[in-house]
């Protein structure tokens, strides 16, 4: 009986202390300024060059990184991150498989008002970008890219 | 171990045991404490007395801090409502009693009825062997006499084996429609999203109008929220 209890305890404790899989992300908070005319060239920080094709879908002509970080989130656990201007980001990775990933995102402004709450499933090699209009010629973007 | 007193850890364990929140190993530990220390039993009895007193107070509306009680209740309700948004409403599991769901009192009657029906149809089917002679169907009865039948329906075997055969098809022929074959290959690419969805959105909530930006080259989730004006 004692031996069985010992084995059970070892098994339960091993399970509870098992390391959870951490998923790495590149997180960018981007300020977008100026409405782009059809022939105007777009200016952006060099680190944003890999996401050029995606950012050109938005109607701005100047993209500037306000906050940049490399974060790590355990699967199925909620993590809170503070962005620039006291904004906050709650992030939960639902799964991250070979090709696909799923994220729950809750983006709040400095007053704690919800800017965006979404759950998305997407291809892992693509970045997830969420943008919000701030003024007439201004917007802020949030870019998340799963690390390889 | 001093048998006259209980340690703080033991008291906590006993309190958990009283609240039925102990796991299997903790229960074993508690039973060991109760056996070895008579004060443990007294402690459990005291807990029971305390519960009785509190229950009397609450049942008799004798709650002293009514405001605190109400605010905690409101908080709990708000939490439940908030949780409902994400997880759906909480329903109690309804256990269905099999014997109640199916009334077995009718079983003997149903069986006897089924038996009677089966007997009746078996007797009927004895005269159902069908012989078609010169295009005219004839029915063979029990005594072997062939009787010509005017009905253009052949009967054979018992009820389950009977098949209706319409002999005069030409009078009820459907108008002929020419089929045409279309090539759907150009549309296959358009329906690729059915087999390989690139972006799936379970929900999006925001205080503005939400747009999912479609792209030609890439298949990334691009969200844009414009403020309501």
């Amino acid at each position: 009986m004692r031996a069985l209890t010992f084995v059970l305890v070892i098994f339960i404790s091993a399970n509870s202390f098992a390391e959870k899989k951490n998923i790495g992300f590149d997180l960018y908070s981007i300020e977008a300024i100026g409405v782009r005319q059809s022939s105007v060239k777009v200016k952006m920080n060099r680190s944003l060059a890999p996401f050029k094709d995606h950012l050109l879908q938005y109607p701005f002509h100047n993209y500037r990184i306000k906050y940049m970080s490399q974060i790590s989130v355990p699967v199925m656990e909620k993590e809170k991150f503070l962005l620039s201007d006291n904004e906050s980001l709650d992030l939960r990775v639902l799964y991250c498989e070979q090709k696909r990933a799923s994220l729950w995102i809750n983006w709040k402004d400095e007053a704690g008002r919800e800017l965006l709450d979404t759950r998305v499933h997407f291809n892992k090699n693509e970045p997830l970008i969420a943008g919000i209009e701030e003024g007439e010629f201004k917007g802020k973007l949030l870019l998340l890219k799963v690390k390889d | 171990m001093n048998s006259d007193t209980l340690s703080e850890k033991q008291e906590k364990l006993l309190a958990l045991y009283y609240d039925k929140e102990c796991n299997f190993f903790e229960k074993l530990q508690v039973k060991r404490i109760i056996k070895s220390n008579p004060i443990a039993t007294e402690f459990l009895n005291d807990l029971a007395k305390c519960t009785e007193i509190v229950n009397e107070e609450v049942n008799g509306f004798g709650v002293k801090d009514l405001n605190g009680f109400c605010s905690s209740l409101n908080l709990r309700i708000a939490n439940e409502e908030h949780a409902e948004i994400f997880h759906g409403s909480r329903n109690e599991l309804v256990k269905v009693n099999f014997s109640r769901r199916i009334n077995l009192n009718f079983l003997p009657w149903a069986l006897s009825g089924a038996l009677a029906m089966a007997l009746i149809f078996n007797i009927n089917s004895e005269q159902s062997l069908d012989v078609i002679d010169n295009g005219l169907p004839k029915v063979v009865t029990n005594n072997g006499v062939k009787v010509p039948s005017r009905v253009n329906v052949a009967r054979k075997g018992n009820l389950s084996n009977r098949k209706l055969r319409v002999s005069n098809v030409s009078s009820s022929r459907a108008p002929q429609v020419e089929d045409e074959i279309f090539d759907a290959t150009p549309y296959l690419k358009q329906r690729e999203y059915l087999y390989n969805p690139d972006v799936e959105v379970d929900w999006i909530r925001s205080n503005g109008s939400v747009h999912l930006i479609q792209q030609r080259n890439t298949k990334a989730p691009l969200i844009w929220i414009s403020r309501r004006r």
Side-chain angles (χ1 to χ4, degrees):
Chain A
M1 179 68 188
R2 280 188 181 178
L4 184 69
T5 313
F6 177 74
V7 172
L8 269 172
V9 167
I10 293 292
F11 179 73
I12 291 163
S13 56
N15 267 340
S16 59
F17 287 109
E19 207 172 289
K20 291 204 171 178
K21 194 183 167 191
N22 281 321
I23 310 297
F25 287 92
D26 288 324
L27 171 67
Y28 299 88
S29 175
I30 303 163
E31 188 182 40
I33 312 162
V35 175
R36 190 172 74 232
Q37 304 300 321
S38 57
S39 61
V40 170
K41 287 186 179 176
V42 174
K43 189 182 165 190
M44 63 178 72
N45 290 135
R46 196 159 286 171
S47 332
L48 293 176
F51 314 112
K52 179 191 70 180
D53 288 341
H54 307 94
L55 290 172
L56 287 178
Q57 304 292 328
Y58 291 93
F60 300 100
H61 76 79
N62 193 350
Y63 295 90
R64 194 168 61 85
I65 295 175
K66 284 181 86 179
Y67 173 84
M68 187 178 130
S69 175
Q70 295 186 335
I71 56 172
S72 173
V73 183
V75 176
M76 285 306 287
E77 275 188 29
K78 193 171 114 180
E79 290 281 321
K80 196 178 187 107
F81 300 98
L82 276 178
L83 307 174
S84 55
D85 300 335
N86 286 329
E87 287 173 0
S88 68
L89 177 73
D90 287 335
L91 200 65
R92 188 198 292 262
V93 181
L94 298 167
Y95 61 83
C96 189
E97 293 164 359
Q98 204 175 359
K99 285 184 178 174
R100 303 277 288 170
S102 175
L103 289 182
W104 169 71
I105 295 168
N106 191 281
W107 184 15
K108 285 178 182 156
D109 66 4
E110 65 280 1
R113 284 174 302 218
E114 206 167 71
L115 296 174
L116 175 71
D117 184 281
T118 185
R119 197 168 73 184
V120 196
H121 311 255
F122 58 101
N123 292 340
K124 213 173 96 175
N125 56 346
E126 300 282 358
L128 185 150
I129 306 177
I132 189 158
E133 187 183 11
E134 273 206 309
E136 245 178 274
F137 305 111
K138 206 177 166 191
K140 56 184 167 189
L141 306 175
L142 187 76
L143 192 150
L144 276 162
K145 172 80 176 72
V146 182
K147 272 190 189 172
D148 297 325
Chain B
M1 185 190 290
N2 188 1
S3 61
D4 295 334
T5 55
L6 287 169
S7 70
E8 195 182 339
K9 196 178 170 186
Q10 284 175 331
E11 282 183 356
K12 276 182 184 173
L13 197 64
L14 285 168
L16 277 177
Y17 176 77
Y18 182 77
D19 292 334
K20 291 174 184 170
E21 288 174 359
C22 279
N23 59 29
F24 176 73
F25 299 108
E26 286 169 341
K27 272 181 194 169
L28 285 179
Q29 214 175 332
V30 167
K31 279 174 188 170
R32 213 176 294 148
I33 293 168
I34 291 170
K35 270 185 187 175
S36 63
N37 198 340
I39 293 179
T41 322
E42 281 178 29
F43 183 78
L44 285 173
N45 289 337
D46 287 346
L47 281 178
K49 277 177 195 169
C50 279
T51 314
E52 269 178 30
I53 292 163
V54 171
N55 281 343
E56 278 170 16
E57 283 283 318
V58 173
N59 290 336
F61 298 101
V63 182
K64 285 172 186 171
D65 185 16
L66 198 60
N67 285 332
F69 183 66
C70 288
S71 62
S72 66
L73 258 183
N74 286 336
L75 187 69
R76 182 75 196 272
I77 290 165
N79 281 342
E80 284 286 328
E81 282 174 351
H82 190 249
E84 268 187 12
I85 295 168
F86 294 103
H87 307 298
S89 55
R90 196 182 286 186
N91 291 322
E92 275 186 28
L93 280 174
V94 181
K95 286 182 184 173
V96 180
N97 195 346
F98 184 73
S99 59
R100 273 191 191 175
R101 207 171 144 190
I102 298 171
N103 197 346
L104 296 174
N105 294 338
F106 287 100
L107 192 64
W109 289 103
L111 281 175
S112 54
L115 191 67
M117 292 292 277
L119 278 173
I120 290 164
F121 281 111
N122 265 332
I123 291 163
N124 262 347
S125 66
E126 279 180 19
Q127 54 145 249
S128 64
L129 194 66
D130 189 20
V131 175
I132 295 175
D133 188 17
N134 293 332
L136 287 172
K138 291 179 181 180
V139 175
V140 183
T141 55
N142 288 341
N143 48 15
V145 180
K146 292 176 183 176
V147 182
S149 168
R150 282 168 186 259
V151 185
N152 284 335
V153 174
R155 298 197 302 174
K156 196 173 184 179
N158 56 20
L159 188 67
S160 61
N161 285 334
R162 268 184 215 164
K163 286 173 186 172
L164 297 176
R165 286 183 220 147
V166 180
S167 62
N168 192 4
V169 180
S170 59
S171 64
S172 61
R173 188 174 287 164
Q176 286 189 344
V177 180
E178 285 185 8
D179 292 334
E180 207 170 331
I181 296 167
F182 297 99
D183 184 20
T185 322
Y187 299 91
L188 276 177
K189 278 190 178 176
Q190 290 178 20
R191 283 189 281 123
E192 266 179 3
Y193 68 91
L194 288 175
Y195 315 109
N196 184 21
D198 296 305
V199 179
E200 294 167 86
V201 179
D202 289 343
W203 73 76
I204 296 184
R205 199 171 54 216
S206 174
N207 56 1
S209 328
V210 179
H211 308 271
L212 256 178
I213 300 172
Q214 302 278 322
Q215 303 171 91
R216 282 184 197 164
N217 309 331
T218 58
K219 289 157 184 177
L222 302 184
I223 300 164
W224 176 247
I225 301 153
S226 52
R227 297 278 191 198
R228 288 195 185 105
R229 295 190 179 96

